[in-house]
Amino acid sequence: MGGVTTQDHADRTDRTARTERVPKQDRSRVTRQRLLQSAVDCLAEHGWAGSTVSVVAERAGVSRGAAQHHFPTREDLFTAAVEYVAEERSTALRALFPQSAAGDRHAVVAALVDLYTGPLFRAALHLWVAASDEDQLRPRVTELEARVGRETHRIAVELLGADEARPGARETVQGFLDMARGLGLANLLTDDTARRERVVTQWAALLEQALG
């Protein structure tokens, strides 16, 4: 009967190290996502003034030190949070309509309008207001919004089946997105669901005519 060899011990040590390392990476990723989602929720519910790193960390169930390990500054946390949810929404839209505009422009219009009536838009609005008074925050939010705006426009063009080589098509899509943003603003103070549904129906019909 042989004893435990040096190689056996080394193999076990290596397996243990790998086992411990992977869960730690997973925990770090989960913690980061919880912080980002909590930051968005806090912004949407309490605005910039009421959304501190400590409040977000408590809501996420982590320590302030853990939060600052992932996001050293408050600005880092909140700009990353809005970007994170914007990317999640883009992924969700693509999952809903994998064939681009497969004939149901009304469904596409309704889904895109939802981008501007959920917690992402509310959180982003608070971030815009804060950025207007915070010199350190303004350039980061401006850059983020420009990038998100370009991505949203590109997705809208794909989902609506718009040919931007056609005169007026690009402006028609952008006008629709501007309208959707306005519906999101109207929804901040009151539940605008009924009116929004009528507007969505009308815009879907207008897009059918304008885009062909």
Side-chain angles (χ1 to χ4, degrees):
M1 294 179 62
V4 177
T5 67
T6 302
Q7 184 60 47
D8 289 337
H9 179 74
D11 289 344
R12 282 204 303 269
T13 300
D14 182 59
R15 286 195 299 271
T16 300
R18 289 200 304 270
T19 301
E20 291 177 349
R21 186 164 58 248
V22 173
K24 184 177 181 180
Q25 292 171 346
D26 287 344
R27 287 197 301 272
S28 178
R29 178 179 54 80
V30 170
T31 297
R32 178 183 171 86
Q33 290 181 337
R34 284 166 58 189
L35 284 166
L36 291 174
Q37 189 60 58
S38 295
V40 171
D41 292 342
C42 283
L43 270 179
E45 294 176 17
H46 308 301
W48 176 257
S51 299
T52 65
V53 174
S54 296
V55 169
V56 172
E58 182 178 358
R59 184 175 188 134
V62 304
S63 68
R64 179 185 173 89
Q68 290 181 315
H69 170 74
H70 288 279
F71 304 102
T73 70
R74 188 185 188 199
E75 290 78 11
D76 288 333
L77 172 60
F78 287 104
T79 53
V82 176
E83 183 174 23
Y84 162 75
V85 179
E87 291 172 353
E88 290 292 302
R89 288 298 183 89
S90 295
T91 300
L93 275 174
R94 292 191 179 284
L96 283 172
F97 303 101
Q99 301 297 322
S100 291
D104 191 353
R105 280 198 171 117
H106 185 281
V108 173
V109 169
L112 287 166
V113 166
D114 283 345
L115 280 173
Y116 295 99
T117 54
L120 168 63
F121 181 76
R122 187 182 293 269
L125 182 60
H126 286 298
L127 200 60
W128 299 345
V129 172
S132 68
D133 295 323
E134 297 279 345
D135 291 338
Q136 185 178 1
L137 190 61
R138 188 182 304 117
R140 304 174 72 171
V141 174
T142 300
E143 178 186 359
L144 168 64
E145 287 304 319
R147 189 164 70 251
V148 170
R150 288 192 298 269
E151 175 67 5
T152 303
H153 182 93
R154 185 170 63 82
I155 290 174
V157 167
E158 287 185 20
L159 296 180
L160 291 168
D163 178 6
E164 291 196 293
R166 182 174 179 170
R170 179 178 180 80
E171 290 75 16
T172 297
V173 173
Q174 191 57 55
F176 157 62
L177 292 175
D178 290 343
M179 180 277 301
R181 188 179 296 110
L183 290 177
L185 284 169
N187 197 59
L188 287 175
L189 297 177
T190 59
D191 184 354
D192 204 41
T193 303
R195 186 176 74 89
R196 186 166 67 249
E197 289 176 352
R198 294 194 298 271
V199 172
V200 164
T201 297
Q202 181 63 19
W203 262 91
L206 292 172
L207 288 169
E208 285 287 352
Q209 296 174 9
L211 300 178

